[in-house]
Amino acid sequence: MLLFIPTVVVERGWRNIVLAVRSLWLHKLRALLSVLGIVIGTAAVIALMAFGEGSMQDALADIERQGATNIIVRSVKPPDESATQSRSFFAVYGLTEQDYERLHNIDTIIRDVPLRVFRQEIRYLGSMHVGRMVGTTQHYTIVHQTNPIAGRFLTADDEEFRRNHAVLGWTVAKQLFPLQNPLGETIVIGKHLYKVVGVMPERMPTGGSGGSQAAEEFNDDVYIPLSTCNSRVGARVFLRQTGSRSGEQVELHQVTLTVSNMDKVRPTADVVRDLLVRFHGPKKDWAMTVPLDRLDEAKRAKNRYKMLLVLIASISLLVGGIGIMNIMLATVTERTREIGIRRALGAKRRDITFQFLIEAVVQTGIGGILGVVLGLGIAIILPWLWQLITGSHLPAKIHEGSIGLSLGVSLVVGVLFGWYPAQRAAKLDPIEALRHV
Amino acid sequence: MTTVVRIIDLIKYYELGSVLVKALDGVSLTVHEGEFVALMGPSGSGKSTLLNLLGCLDRPTYGHYYLAGQDVAGMPDDQLSDIRSRFLGFIFQQYNLLAQYTVVENIEVPLLYQERRLTEETRQRCIELAELVGLGQRLDHRPMQLSGGQQQRVAIARALVNDPQVILADEPTGNLDTRTSEEIMQLLTRLNQAGKTIIMVTHENDIASWAKRVVRMRDGIVETDELNTPHWLRDGATVSA
Ligand SMILES: Nc1ncnc2c1ncn2[C@@H]1O[C@H](COP(=O)(O)OP(=O)(O)OP(=O)(O)O)[C@@H](O)[C@H]1O
Ligand SMILES: [Mg+2]
């Protein structure tokens, strides 16, 4: 008996679903149009969730690449320098060895990597590639979370003995040694000879959206010991420009600091900022990037998407719900006679309520499914189109939960807005309903 | 003889603004199992009103109604629905089939509203009923694909599916031509001969002449109530099977 009654209910439910589909099939176009609001609402939920999630994941991946516990301090050429100090032959700016020492002594910093970067011609036999010569130390691989795919990275010995060793970035290796193993070969950077000891893997450029930092491409790099770099390239660098000669003096282009743990990143960043402000004064010749800040930014972006989502979804679901209510009221009027017949043949009021409620829910459910398909389509096709047209990346990541959520919401809309018409149907007087033409 | 329907002093008033319409003004009637009653009378005499009350579609203003021994006059709505689905069969002038359903599914409808499962068995019973009314070849057709007479046959099969105590028919031949009407009346007569109790409203003497008892109404009361020898018995003919 306990099993018997639920089976009856389940069968009745199923029969009502089949009936609803058949009844809707008699007015296909009308059913489709009336469910449009639900389709759009659901699609909006799916697509916006995908974009929100996508930008979040993008940011997380970016933070991962840059190191969540890293703080990056770079030298920046102050915008006013060339104008006010036009007499000066040299533009002197940026981080100094002294800065580096001070930063080095902050006790929450467990590792630091100084960088000097110069645009240079890199040659091997007849081939040439213009890339970045990067002077750095052995910790570079740890701090930037990368490892050579061939050979080794620079070592403490390389640094101490100022060896002429070089580690090639992926593109450089490809360009100069298309067919050949570069390890052990001798290349020329600028005017000097270096022996290739390692090759780095292909690396994704960092996102350009991280505050003041421009997108950075690593595959054109050649890494040499910082000490070697300092002895080859003096503090002052001459730049040849048309007509005039100018130069600049930058001791260090970048220092990447690794903090002992995630919680200390922000306090440490404050200390670093204070230090630099104290010693550089008003001169804005440095910039600091905290990859972890991207997280907040991404969270804000996600929240923006979420608010937009809630707004669009609730408006279109409201409109959709009213559309359903409207069409169900029309349906009930149209099918008054059917209701009378069913009542005469033994249907109780609740059977009629159930029938029309199911019909409303089937309708919004179908709308929900169409919306999910549309939303998934948008989340897949729009980034692709965006890439094609603007060439930039629009991150989207389909969120499985959003599918269940939006389908659930469309079913709830069906129940809420189908309730009143179903009640109207159930309250009809059987005799009057039978007399209806 | 078992009493199927017993009504005592049934009164149905409609209030239309200040006017009181006395649709039924004290009707008493007893119908036994196996009877075939024709309800006649001029338009507005209260035939449909009475049939609706007998069909538990409506409740009387005053009076008693015992259906198969149960007092149904004061029952709540849900219980009346239950009575309709288990004890009554309806045949309407307009056939009143459901457009979404096939012939078999239409016959099945009264069973949908009983607390029982639909099985192969019940489906088989519907098919047999369709065959009984001569529509064995059209089980999967929709009402739209059937003629009026065929639709009324489906309605008759539907009225039989729950094995009712009484079949109520309101002008079942009202929309049909003479020949088709005759076929339908033959079918009803056969059912009556098999033991079904039938109460039928009609305007036409020809149709009423198939019944075994004729009740005439006027202005909400029973005018005459007399036994009738069905015409085919008078002519000495038999109803073809
Ligand atoms: N819902 C109602 N509201 C008000 N008056 C009604 C209602 N239903 C029936 N009546 C009145 O009750 C009386 C009896 O109507 P009923 O429909 O029973 O007549 P009938 O004998 O079936 O007539 P016909 O042969 O034309 O079908 C009529 O005067 C009718 O106007
Ligand atoms: Mg009538």
Side-chain angles (χ1 to χ4, degrees):
Chain A
M1 200 62 192
L2 264 171
L3 260 169
F4 177 72
I5 289 173
T7 337
V8 170
V9 173
V10 168
E11 281 180 4
R12 197 165 283 192
W14 175 246
R15 264 201 303 278
N16 272 299
I17 290 172
V18 172
L19 170 66
V21 171
R22 282 196 197 175
S23 304
L24 291 171
W25 193 252
L26 294 176
H27 304 280
K28 292 177 276 289
L29 184 64
R30 190 174 80 173
L32 193 71
L33 289 178
S34 58
V35 96
L36 212 57
I38 306 283
V39 174
I40 291 168
T42 325
V45 172
I46 300 284
L48 290 176
M49 284 266 236
F51 294 136
E53 190 69 20
S55 59
M56 187 74 187
Q57 295 230 335
D58 229 37
L60 284 175
D62 228 43
I63 292 159
E64 195 68 24
R65 263 197 303 279
Q66 292 190 347
T69 53
N70 283 355
I71 296 171
I72 299 160
V73 190
R74 279 168 304 116
S75 299
V76 176
K77 188 166 192 171
D80 53 332
E81 202 71 0
S82 49
T84 55
Q85 298 195 308
S86 51
R87 289 165 287 121
S88 168
F89 192 58
F90 284 108
V92 181
Y93 67 89
L95 302 169
T96 62
E97 293 286 349
Q98 265 182 313
D99 288 331
Y100 175 61
E101 281 308 315
R102 291 187 197 108
L103 297 177
H104 187 77
N105 290 332
I106 299 173
D107 56 4
T108 49
I109 290 173
I110 52 168
R111 214 166 282 116
D112 46 55
V113 179
L115 243 60
R116 292 192 77 190
V117 182
F118 302 96
R119 193 139 284 273
Q120 287 280 12
E121 290 176 357
I122 305 153
R123 293 168 195 280
Y124 174 72
L125 301 179
S127 10
M128 189 269 278
H129 184 80
V130 178
R132 302 197 310 173
M133 179 178 82
V134 179
T136 187
T137 63
Q138 72 272 20
H139 294 312
Y140 183 90
T141 48
I142 304 171
V143 168
H144 291 272
Q145 301 167 57
T146 174
N147 269 306
I149 45 160
R152 59 169 176 84
F153 199 74
L154 304 169
T155 60
D157 277 0
D158 289 333
E159 178 67 22
E160 192 177 347
F161 302 114
R162 299 185 185 184
R163 292 211 177 105
N164 294 332
H165 284 171
V167 177
L168 305 184
W170 175 255
T171 310
V172 180
K174 282 241 125 155
Q175 290 288 324
L176 298 187
F177 301 94
L179 304 166
Q180 186 184 348
N181 184 355
L183 294 182
E185 299 298 329
T186 304
I187 57 166
V188 182
I189 306 175
K191 295 191 247 3
H192 305 280
L193 298 172
Y194 295 84
K195 189 173 133 201
V196 177
V197 296
V199 176
M200 300 304 283
E202 189 167 16
R203 286 167 69 190
M204 291 277 290
T206 53
S209 46
S212 56
Q213 195 190 19
E216 204 173 0
E217 167 67 44
F218 301 105
N219 296 321
D220 285 330
D221 290 356
V222 174
Y223 305 96
I224 61 170
L226 185 62
S227 54
T228 313
C229 182
N230 284 338
S231 64
R232 290 282 154 78
V233 186
R236 303 188 158 194
V237 179
F238 293 94
L239 301 170
R240 234 179 295 270
Q241 281 175 342
T242 41
S244 71
R245 259 157 54 101
S246 66
E248 57 181 30
Q249 176 179 330
V250 181
E251 289 183 17
L252 286 173
H253 288 96
Q254 179 179 322
V255 179
T256 307
L257 309 164
T258 300
V259 181
S260 57
N261 73 54
M262 206 95 85
D263 297 338
K264 300 233 171 75
V265 170
R266 295 233 162 72
T268 308
D270 291 340
V271 174
V272 171
R273 188 181 299 108
D274 288 349
L275 262 177
L276 291 172
V277 168
R278 176 139 32 105
F279 290 98
H280 287 244
K283 201 167 149 194
K284 284 301 289 175
D285 60 346
W286 57 274
M288 184 169 77
T289 308
V290 182
L292 206 57
D293 284 345
R294 281 273 280 139
L295 196 63
D296 289 342
E297 208 179 305
K299 273 183 189 156
R300 276 198 298 278
K302 196 177 172 180
N303 273 335
R304 269 199 303 279
Y305 275 118
K306 223 177 231 165
M307 271 161 60
L308 193 64
L309 181 148
V310 168
L311 192 75
I312 292 181
S314 44
I315 290 174
S316 52
L317 288 176
L318 184 73
V319 172
I322 291 170
I324 287 298
M325 184 143 105
N326 190 28
I327 212 69
M328 286 309 294
L329 285 172
T331 299
V332 167
T333 306
E334 248 169 46
R335 285 160 67 188
T336 299
R337 197 182 181 82
E338 175 188 336
I339 295 162
I341 297 168
R342 288 179 184 276
R343 294 281 277 131
L345 299 181
K348 298 185 176 68
R349 290 210 163 118
R350 60 165 180 273
D351 293 322
I352 301 295
T353 306
F354 193 52
Q355 179 189 334
F356 283 92
L357 208 51
I358 291 270
E359 189 165 319
V361 171
V362 164
Q363 216 168 335
T364 57
I366 289 171
I369 291 169
L370 292 178
V372 166
V373 172
L374 182 65
L376 292 179
I378 291 172
I380 291 164
I381 290 168
L382 198 63
W384 179 78
L385 267 182
W386 194 262
Q387 183 89 47
L388 213 67
I389 294 165
T390 69
S392 62
H393 177 61
L394 178 70
K397 165 84 173 59
I398 286 149
H399 186 264
E400 289 87 355
S402 69
I403 296 175
L405 177 79
S406 50
L407 278 181
V409 168
S410 41
L411 295 184
V412 169
V413 167
V415 173
L416 287 181
F417 289 88
W419 187 258
Y420 175 66
Q423 282 295 312
R424 279 262 291 244
K427 289 213 179 97
L428 288 173
D429 177 62
I431 296 171
E432 272 169 37
L434 272 171
R435 221 180 272 145
H436 196 267
V437 270
Chain B
M1 262 198 300
T2 329
T3 303
V4 179
V5 166
R6 200 156 99 87
I7 53 177
I8 304 162
D9 271 338
L10 214 57
I11 287 176
K12 183 71 187 180
Y13 292 158
Y14 292 107
E15 255 176 275
L16 287 178
S18 55
V19 187
L20 189 69
V21 180
K22 298 180 174 180
L24 292 181
D25 204 9
V27 174
S28 299
L29 193 71
T30 303
V31 178
H32 300 290
E33 192 179 331
E35 282 201 280
F36 188 170
V37 182
L39 265 181
M40 297 194 72
S43 188
S45 56
K47 306 180 295 292
S48 295
T49 305
L50 178 58
L51 206 73
N52 287 337
L53 282 169
L54 292 175
C56 295
L57 287 165
D58 208 351
R59 269 170 287 204
T61 315
Y62 303 105
H64 296 281
Y65 174 18
Y66 300 94
L67 175 64
Q70 288 186 78
D71 184 0
V72 297
M75 276 188 179
D77 198 79
D78 275 6
Q79 242 171 311
L80 287 180
S81 294
D82 212 43
I83 296 282
R84 289 198 294 270
S85 78
R86 288 193 293 131
F87 296 142
L88 298 170
F90 286 91
I91 302 169
F92 305 93
Q93 183 177 352
Q94 318 282 346
Y95 327 130
N96 280 345
L97 301 180
L98 298 176
Q100 305 100 313
Y101 289 147
T102 63
V103 166
V104 195
E105 288 167 336
N106 263 293
I107 296 173
E108 210 171 35
V109 172
L111 304 180
L112 296 181
Y113 299 113
Q114 296 181 349
E115 291 299 327
R116 65 194 272 181
R117 293 180 60 185
L118 298 189
T119 57
E120 261 319 299
E121 223 171 295
T122 56
R123 176 52 65 102
Q124 196 52 46
R125 177 167 163 69
C126 294
I127 293 172
E128 279 164 19
L129 285 171
E131 282 163 358
L132 178 78
V133 299
L135 291 169
Q137 306 302 314
R138 322 204 57 160
L139 298 177
D140 294 324
H141 287 218
R142 307 271 161 154
M144 294 243 290
Q145 299 165 310
L146 301 177
S147 72
Q150 287 167 332
Q151 290 190 51
Q152 197 60 300
R153 287 162 181 277
V154 178
I156 291 170
R158 181 176 68 183
L160 291 170
V161 75
N162 54 352
D163 199 11
Q165 296 280 323
V166 55
I167 292 174
L168 302 167
D170 196 347
E171 306 200 33
T173 59
N175 279 5
L176 300 173
D177 61 42
T178 321
R179 239 200 62 187
T180 321
S181 297
E182 187 135 324
E183 284 170 17
I184 294 295
M185 291 318 297
Q186 283 177 1
L187 182 55
L188 290 179
T189 302
R190 262 189 334 188
L191 294 175
N192 177 244
Q193 284 179 322
K196 285 286 157 207
T197 312
I198 301 174
I199 302 176
M200 172 186 72
V201 168
T202 182
H203 273 117
E204 298 167 60
N205 287 319
D206 280 359
I207 298 299
S209 70
W210 290 79
K212 293 195 257 181
R213 177 180 169 191
V214 177
V215 175
R216 289 179 194 277
M217 296 184 66
R218 180 177 294 276
D219 298 334
I221 54 166
V222 173
E223 198 182 39
T224 63
D225 182 352
E226 51 204 18
L227 292 180
N228 175 51
T229 313
H231 70 89
W232 50 271
L233 273 182
R234 281 196 300 254
D235 300 347
T238 49
V239 176
S240 51

